[in-house]
Amino acid sequence: ARERVRMRHHLTCDRRIALFCARLARVKRLAETIRAFLRVAPRDWVLLCVGPATSEVDMDEIRDLCARSEGRCVYVGPVFGHDVGDYYAAADLFVLFSHSENFGHSVGQALARGVPVAISPGVGLAAYVHRYGGGFVADGESFDDMCHVLGAAFNCSAGELRELGEIGRKWVERELSPVTFADRLDALCMSVREEA
């Protein structure tokens, strides 16, 4: 999968991949994410931006930012099915600085695949990442907060990022598995029945 993504985007094996994968809504802050990435990312990193456009986002701005990035940011467009799994498999870091996510499914998908995350406190899973590990959570919602947390992630070695990703993967396996979900649902039903 990693090789397929690299070939698709003409990336050499020494390039490290940051992934943004979400519907392109204003709340997801893609333009700000690209600007923060370009400000702090070392030259060996590339940001792949995956997701369907919406009328909320100025796609000309997104395309212009990517075009002026000298190949450091690429707007991929929408990707579905097994192909989206290739992007998660290829990523060294997942990035989402959304103002608000009830849960953050794409963050959960990244963690489940062992990809460390760099996220905003507005992402529902941020409290869990902060408490248990698996990545980096910005202190706030500002542009400087985005730059600071990305800088912390980019200062990690590939091995350190893999270790963080493994922490996240184990947390998802332990806390979000179907068995755990079923057990918690059973416990909830039992507590409601006992109260009745």
Side-chain angles (χ1 to χ4, degrees):
R2 193 171 179 83
E3 190 57 32
R4 282 193 297 271
V5 169
R6 289 183 178 283
M7 288 178 60
R8 192 174 301 144
H9 299 289
H10 312 290
L11 302 175
T12 57
C13 63
D14 60 329
R15 298 298 296 274
R16 298 173 76 189
I17 297 172
L19 175 66
F20 170 98
C21 186
R23 177 178 55 87
L24 273 55
R26 186 176 300 117
V27 71
K28 312 288 185 183
R29 302 170 71 191
L30 178 57
E32 291 172 76
T33 299
I34 292 170
R35 288 185 179 96
F37 177 88
L38 291 173
R39 178 174 288 180
V40 300
R43 300 292 295 185
D44 60 334
W45 281 85
V46 61
L47 174 65
L48 299 181
C49 306
V50 174
T54 68
S55 59
E56 297 177 30
V57 174
D58 181 354
M59 289 308 298
D60 289 337
E61 177 186 24
I62 300 300
R63 289 187 184 96
D64 183 58
L65 285 167
C66 290
R68 290 188 288 120
S69 74
E70 299 174 349
R72 296 176 63 210
C73 297
V74 178
Y75 173 60
V76 176
V79 178
F80 302 104
H82 293 292
D83 290 339
V84 77
D86 286 356
Y87 283 91
Y88 283 105
D92 297 288
L93 179 70
F94 181 85
V95 179
L96 183 64
F97 294 114
S98 181
H99 281 301
S100 177
E101 298 286 320
N102 290 336
F103 177 79
H105 287 92
S106 58
V107 174
Q109 289 173 341
L111 291 169
R113 289 172 170 88
V115 180
V117 299
I119 58 178
S120 65
V123 174
L125 285 174
Y128 299 98
V129 171
H130 191 273
R131 186 178 307 128
Y132 300 107
F136 308 84
V137 179
D139 290 333
E141 300 282 344
S142 75
F143 182 77
D144 286 340
D145 291 323
M146 294 167 73
C147 290
H148 180 73
V149 78
L150 283 174
F154 296 141
N155 281 328
C156 289
S157 68
E160 289 169 328
L161 287 177
R162 279 192 298 275
E163 286 176 19
L164 281 172
E166 186 62 14
I167 290 168
R169 188 193 65 73
K170 287 179 179 175
W171 178 81
V172 167
E173 188 176 272
R174 184 177 66 248
E175 297 295 324
L176 302 180
S177 72
V179 171
T180 301
F181 180 80
D183 289 346
R184 289 178 180 159
L185 190 58
D186 284 345
L188 178 63
C189 291
M190 292 295 283
S191 70
V192 170
R193 192 167 62 187
E194 288 170 5
E195 290 176 12

